[in-house]
Amino acid sequence: MPFTAEQFGILAEKTLHFLLILKKNGRIVAFNNRCGVLFPIEDNKKKAIYITDYIIDEDVKILNQSISSLSKQNSILSQSFSFATEKHGVLALKFNLTLHNDLIYAAGIDTTEEYKEHRALMTISKLTKTGAWYYNPKNNEMFWSKGCYLIKDLDPKTKMTRELGASFYPKENRKRIESYLNNLIKTRKPYEYTEKIITKKGNVKWVKVVAQPVIYKNEVIYVNGTIADVTDRHNYIEKLKYNEETKHLALKGIQSGLFDHHIEKNEVFYSADFKKMLGLPLDQDFVPEETFRKMIHPEDVEGAFERHLKNLKQPGNQYYNYYRLSDKKGTYKYYEVHGFQRKNEKNETIRMIGNLIDVHQRRLNEKTIAESKNRLQAIVNNGFAYTVLLDPEGQILMTDEKSLKIIKRDFNVDPSKTPCLFINVMPLNFKNTFLHEFNEALKGNMVKKEIERATNEGNVQWLESKYTPIYDQENEINSVLVSFHDITEQKLAEIAIKESHLKEQELNSLKSNILSNFSHEIRTPLNGIMTVSKLLLDEKEPEERKKLLEYLEESKDRLLDTINNLSNFSDLEAIRNNLNLKEVDANYTIETSFREYKHLADAKNLEYHLELDHTCPQINIDEDLLRTAVNNIIHNAIKYTSNGRIIVKINSKKSKNNVYISVTDTGIGIDKENLKKVFDPFMQESIGINRKYEGTGIGLSLSKRYIEILGGRIKVKSKMGKGTEFTIIIPKCL
């Protein structure tokens, strides 16, 4: 079951993890409440804050290198950074950095307490954390870890000062020892040295001390250091009487878990700390390599050995490996090996000095962070149909996989790599209301809106968009979450109900039109027949009787035409099955129809023209059907034209396959609404008893159906008050 928005918010704000969203230039886009210890309250009110303003100077370079190394292929890495805070001093955080949609998502844990005994900079990771110390030059505070006290055989409860720390060195060396720390504070340069000390119990030991400055705004605010008991290693070097080069190599590898591997002799020297850590015999100076290999986890042996051989063959002197080892309790833990290789003139490794580092807790922390990150991304990808997180300028900060795929496909833009405004990569019909809803969300209002879109497959999809403002810890809106829920099925059901209602209204209107038209078209000639018949009975004058007979004939023809049209409309299927097809001259057929209506055009004083095609195109048709279709169109053109002209034209030059027959008039025209219904049966420009023009409204509908039966099609274009043009397209005989 996915998290709700409320659960998601609680998870982000109540966690002990430090959650940050950064741009590639280090600008902080968003962070949770836990990060409040890192950034002063007054800085949170700034429009733009950068993480580089809060981490120590040395880590700025590491941060920039880490961001630069992130890519689509290498989108996740782990790195540690130290923050200089007013209340808590230097805080060390371990981050998982994830690149997504051109933003860096950082999830970190506090490792300050975990490495309390190693309060040195993380940059001295190659050195053994046997004992850790730090010094605050501002208040002269000196801190020692328990390891430091153990090295000097001192009670851990003893309060440590700088003077007490220097007292363990021989008197002749103390001035030089103290100068190291003074020069570091002045020059901001680290130092290291190996010196002899005399412990509280009088024991003589050799220690290696490394110090590193913590710099903030070009000033040393802390000095972190380590101290390692290198007595065993010092005695070992003295015993074997190594030359100066050998001593230099040995010093490079001095860390906790120290080892010295003589590859040619197949001998491995392990330091006391190394042997104690893994439970190896303390009374053996050299331990066979095979003994160590048996301690590696069975699943890691093959990979570890392959990496070992690869390290020995590759150029350079650095060595790195990792695997799980069994400690003295039989528990497997994660370790990393860092070493320095000495090579001969053939570039063959003959000796390697290095150290073993316990990274078990770090690996567990990394796994926890990675799992949490994956769960958060899963919520984004599966919570809604589409999800987009925007900054206050409308730029995409984060989006789900489906939205990213659509944007890349339709706009050829990848928001995860290139800064991108959402308004520039959204469907056109989204833009009409987006700015209004987005601005309302920036005011703190949650807004919902229904949107219709066409999918890539051509289907219609309805979405309910929801704009949710996201607040920072200062209760200011720093982003807007735009989520889309698919409501297509619901909308289609609503539309179907509306369409059904409209269809019912259209059928009722059609029924009224049919009854009105036929009532008028049948009653009018019948009334004429009845009236003229009655007058004929009483009329004696021959001239008047002749006129009445002509009126009677006209009413009879009109009634017959109405009945014939109705009959033809109902017999379309029978006509289709009994076609009399033959090859005819298109000019001849159209000219016949043209001549048939010339007297009507002359009676209205209209210009009446025929333009024939000189190529005499041949068409394979049922001549009666085509003539009937053309007659209806010409008759309509004359009926609806009061003055001007009518042109009938035949043209086949612009097409190899078709003949175009056009009838153009300068009549009243047809408005856009009725132009859509001009071929619907029983429809006229004017209807009802008081209509201006007579007719059943069947003629054009029959013409269209006749033309389609003959394999052709008909088009119409018109402009109110300017006229109408009908074009019949009939296939040629090829």
Side-chain angles (χ1 to χ4, degrees), residues 308-581:
H308 174 71
L309 295 179
K310 183 177 180 181
N311 271 274
L312 297 182
K313 294 178 181 178
Q314 68 183 8
N317 301 99
Q318 301 303 316
Y319 179 93
Y320 172 72
N321 210 338
Y322 57 91
Y323 33 72
R324 287 171 288 177
L325 290 173
S326 174
D327 60 15
K328 55 188 177 182
K329 296 181 180 180
T331 303
Y332 284 103
K333 292 184 177 181
Y334 290 96
Y335 292 88
E336 288 183 354
V337 179
H338 296 267
F340 184 85
Q341 304 177 67
R342 179 183 177 187
K343 298 187 177 184
N344 58 20
E345 63 277 0
K346 298 181 181 179
N347 202 37
E348 297 173 339
T349 301
I350 59 175
R351 187 176 176 200
M352 180 170 60
I353 299 176
N355 62 285
L356 187 74
I357 302 176
D358 183 347
V359 295
H360 186 71
Q361 188 59 45
R362 189 190 76 188
R363 286 289 189 92
L364 295 179
N365 293 340
E366 290 173 352
K367 183 179 180 181
T368 301
I369 293 174
E371 289 176 351
S372 299
K373 190 67 178 177
N374 290 336
R375 292 190 184 103
L376 295 178
Q377 187 63 50
I379 293 171
V380 172
N381 288 338
N382 299 290
F384 300 92
Y386 308 101
T387 306
V388 183
L389 183 66
L390 307 177
D391 68 10
E393 286 74 40
Q395 184 170 298
I396 298 175
L397 301 175
M398 178 182 180
T399 185
D400 65 288
E401 294 174 352
K402 290 181 289 185
S403 298
L404 179 62
K405 182 178 179 181
I406 292 173
I407 293 171
K408 290 169 67 176
R409 180 196 68 208
D410 294 347
F411 298 93
N412 197 28
V413 176
D414 188 348
S416 64
K417 297 180 179 179
T418 306
C420 178
L421 292 174
F422 185 43
I423 195 170
N424 293 334
V425 293
M426 63 171 58
L428 185 61
N429 57 332
F430 281 35
K431 296 183 180 181
N432 296 332
T433 59
F434 167 73
L435 289 177
H436 173 71
E437 274 76 45
F438 183 67
N439 289 330
E440 284 297 312
L442 291 177
K443 295 176 184 177
N445 301 318
M446 185 180 294
V447 186
K448 290 184 179 181
K449 186 75 175 182
E450 291 183 358
I451 303 173
E452 181 183 10
R453 68 179 288 266
T455 66
N456 193 46
E457 293 78 17
N459 300 321
V460 174
Q461 184 182 35
W462 280 89
L463 300 170
E464 181 184 68
S465 61
K466 184 178 180 182
Y467 294 73
T468 305
I470 306 298
Y471 295 87
D472 59 20
Q473 62 182 12
E474 299 298 324
N475 204 33
E476 294 182 358
I477 297 172
N478 59 14
S479 56
V480 175
L481 182 66
V482 186
S483 56
F484 298 89
H485 180 63
D486 193 332
I487 57 170
T488 304
E489 292 185 3
Q490 173 187 337
K491 292 299 296 184
L492 289 179
E494 294 176 0
I495 292 172
I497 294 172
K498 291 180 180 179
E499 287 181 348
S500 176
H501 180 65
L502 291 175
K503 195 67 176 178
E504 182 181 357
Q505 291 180 328
E506 288 179 1
L507 289 174
N508 289 334
S509 177
L510 179 61
K511 180 177 68 174
S512 298
N513 287 341
I514 293 172
L515 293 176
S516 175
N517 285 351
F518 273 91
S519 174
H520 180 85
E521 287 301 313
I522 292 175
R523 185 187 298 121
T524 299
L526 279 178
N527 285 338
I529 292 172
M530 293 170 62
T531 302
V532 172
S533 298
K534 185 176 181 181
L535 291 173
L536 278 172
L537 293 176
D538 299 330
E539 185 61 51
K540 303 298 182 179
E541 290 293 329
E543 190 64 29
E544 292 297 323
R545 288 179 62 84
K546 182 179 179 181
K547 290 181 181 180
L548 290 173
L549 287 173
E550 289 176 356
Y551 293 149
L552 183 62
E553 185 69 17
E554 184 179 321
S555 297
K556 178 214 49 168
D557 291 342
R558 180 173 175 181
L559 180 59
L560 184 59
D561 285 343
T562 299
I563 295 173
N564 285 339
N565 277 338
L566 183 59
S567 175
N568 290 338
F569 191 79
S570 62
D571 290 341
L572 283 176
E573 193 61 34
I575 293 172
R576 190 190 305 274
N577 295 329
N578 295 280
L579 291 176
N580 181 23
L581 298 176

Side-chain angles (χ1 to χ4, degrees), residues 144 148-154 163-174 177 193 195-207 227 229 231:
W144 279 14
C148 295
Y149 286 95
L150 291 175
I151 290 173
K152 298 182 179 181
D153 298 328
L154 191 64
E163 292 71 24
L164 179 59
S167 67
F168 294 96
Y169 295 93
K171 290 183 179 180
E172 63 271 22
N173 297 338
R174 292 175 187 172
I177 297 300
Y193 62 80
E195 292 283 348
K196 180 175 67 175
I197 64 169
I198 301 173
T199 69
K200 181 71 173 177
K201 295 180 180 180
N203 297 322
V204 176
K205 292 184 180 181
W206 287 84
V207 295
I227 181 169
D229 183 352
T231 306

Side-chain angles (χ1 to χ4, degrees), residues 137-150:
K138 291 186 177 296
N139 57 16
N140 206 33
E141 177 189 8
M142 174 71 75
F143 169 80
W144 279 14
S145 69
K146 291 182 180 179
C148 295
Y149 286 95
L150 291 175

Side-chain angles (χ1 to χ4, degrees), residues 74-91:
N74 183 30
S75 60
I76 301 177
L77 62 80
S78 298
Q79 190 56 267
S80 296
F81 307 102
S82 296
F83 290 76
T85 67
E86 293 290 338
K87 296 181 179 180
H88 305 282
V90 177
L91 294 180

